[in-house]
Amino acid sequence: MRRVAVKIAYLGDNFAGSQFQPGLRTVEGDVISDVMKISDISEDEMNIKCASRTDKGVNALGNVVVFSTAFDDNFVLLKALNAVSSSIYYRSIASVDTDFNPRYANERIYRYVLPAKGIDLDLAKECASLFEGEHDFAGFCRNDGRPTVINMRSVKIDKKDDVLVIEFRSEHFLWNMIRRIVSAISSVGRNESKMDDAERALNGEAVSFGLARADALTLADVVYENVNFITPAADILSRRAEEERFMLALRTAFFDSL
């Protein structure tokens, strides 16, 4: 048995969140099921650990799960997992030490997609810059007992066609933190709130901007300085993606015709 770290992608609307919950479909639950389908291993032996918790509806392109396996070949393991999985894409893999904890990442990258219509881009960018650097984000999270002082390395906004892509980079984030910040940026950008309102909230005053929808948020990547993830060339993963695109096109055509 050895330990591997695997980067996974999934659409959040398929799951009730990433963490295992009895009686509900979760990302961890599906990973456990997939690994057990391809190998004779118990859940305890697998000892799965996940890098980042994602709420119900939140997507991922690069979350990381770590587990034990008897497979010797990393690429064979990836192919086997993608062959049995229905909603998780196993994208890349690395061998790691037995004491590797995926929670201790060097950086996490999230992206939020926001409709650009009605938003003043310059105001939105100015508001986003308020959240860069070290701040106490107690007013922009759902309190779960963890320290609320975070060093936000960057908040960048790019306009692409009719949407704004807001990218957040930090070592870690708090529960609902990004969705609350996005609501503040959107509110200021639409002139529904003042820049001063966001500043006051960041300074500890009770100012609420609401909670942005979950399904527009994606965990883009989890970065480790000393872990070398390897992505195989064209394989079953690309074929699965093509099938999903075809089914999405069919569904889109159906609803467009109503």
Side-chain angles (χ1 to χ4, degrees):
M1 299 287 284
R2 62 192 184 91
R3 298 288 279 176
V4 293
V6 180
K7 288 198 176 184
I8 58 174
Y10 50 85
L11 288 172
D13 58 7
N14 290 318
F15 303 99
S18 59
Q19 290 186 309
F20 182 81
Q21 303 174 62
L24 296 175
R25 188 182 185 192
T26 64
V27 175
E28 282 190 2
D30 265 32
V31 173
I32 291 170
S33 176
D34 290 343
V35 174
M36 293 179 73
K37 286 175 184 176
I38 64 171
S39 58
D40 184 17
I41 185 174
S42 69
E43 186 175 335
D44 287 341
E45 291 174 315
M46 193 185 313
N47 187 23
I48 186 173
K49 295 183 183 297
C50 190
S52 295
R53 176 178 67 188
T54 55
D55 289 340
K56 179 179 179 181
V58 175
N59 315 297
L61 287 172
N63 206 348
V64 174
V65 289
V66 175
F67 55 87
S68 297
T69 180
F71 274 74
D72 293 326
D73 189 305
N74 282 343
F75 285 176
V76 171
L77 174 58
L78 274 190
K79 289 182 179 181
L81 287 169
N82 280 302
V84 300
S85 178
S86 60
S87 295
I88 294 176
Y89 293 90
Y90 297 86
R91 301 187 62 188
S92 58
I93 189 167
S95 299
V96 294
D97 294 334
T98 56
D99 61 351
F100 176 75
N101 188 337
R103 296 291 298 175
Y104 300 127
N106 295 98
E107 187 172 61
R108 288 172 169 83
I109 304 170
Y110 278 88
R111 294 192 184 105
Y112 197 97
V113 178
L114 192 66
K117 185 177 181 180
I119 295 181
D120 183 311
L121 182 58
D122 290 333
L123 277 178
K125 287 183 175 182
E126 184 181 350
C127 184
S129 70
L130 295 176
F131 299 96
E132 295 183 324
E134 186 172 279
H135 301 282
D136 187 338
F137 287 93
F140 287 91
C141 72
R142 181 174 173 181
N143 195 319
D144 60 359
R146 291 188 295 165
T148 53
V149 175
I150 300 289
N151 181 19
M152 183 80 78
R153 292 175 181 168
S154 67
V155 184
K156 304 299 181 186
I157 302 180
D158 286 323
K159 189 174 187 296
K160 297 183 179 179
D161 298 324
D162 57 350
V163 300
L164 302 182
V165 180
I166 311 175
E167 183 180 88
F168 298 82
R169 290 176 179 259
S170 182
E171 185 176 309
H172 64 282
F173 294 87
L174 302 168
W175 196 359
N176 287 166
M177 176 179 165
I178 292 176
R179 293 166 62 193
R180 292 180 189 274
I181 293 174
V182 167
S183 284
I185 293 172
S186 175
S187 184
V188 172
R190 296 178 190 279
N191 283 303
E192 297 169 349
S193 301
K194 301 296 184 183
M195 198 73 64
D196 180 62
D197 296 327
E199 291 182 286
R200 290 190 296 108
L202 197 54
N203 289 328
E205 293 189 39
V207 182
S208 177
F209 300 93
L211 186 65
R213 58 188 293 171
D215 59 356
L217 177 61
T218 297
L219 171 58
D221 203 3
V222 182
V223 179
Y224 305 89
E225 287 182 354
N226 299 314
V227 180
N228 182 28
F229 285 90
I230 300 174
T231 303
D235 61 0
I236 193 170
L237 182 59
S238 60
R239 292 195 295 273
R240 281 188 60 203
E242 285 302 320
E243 291 171 0
E244 291 290 340
R245 291 189 191 98
F246 175 70
M247 294 307 298
L248 177 61
L250 285 180
R251 288 193 292 270
T252 301
F254 172 80
F255 286 111
D256 284 348
S257 67
L258 291 178

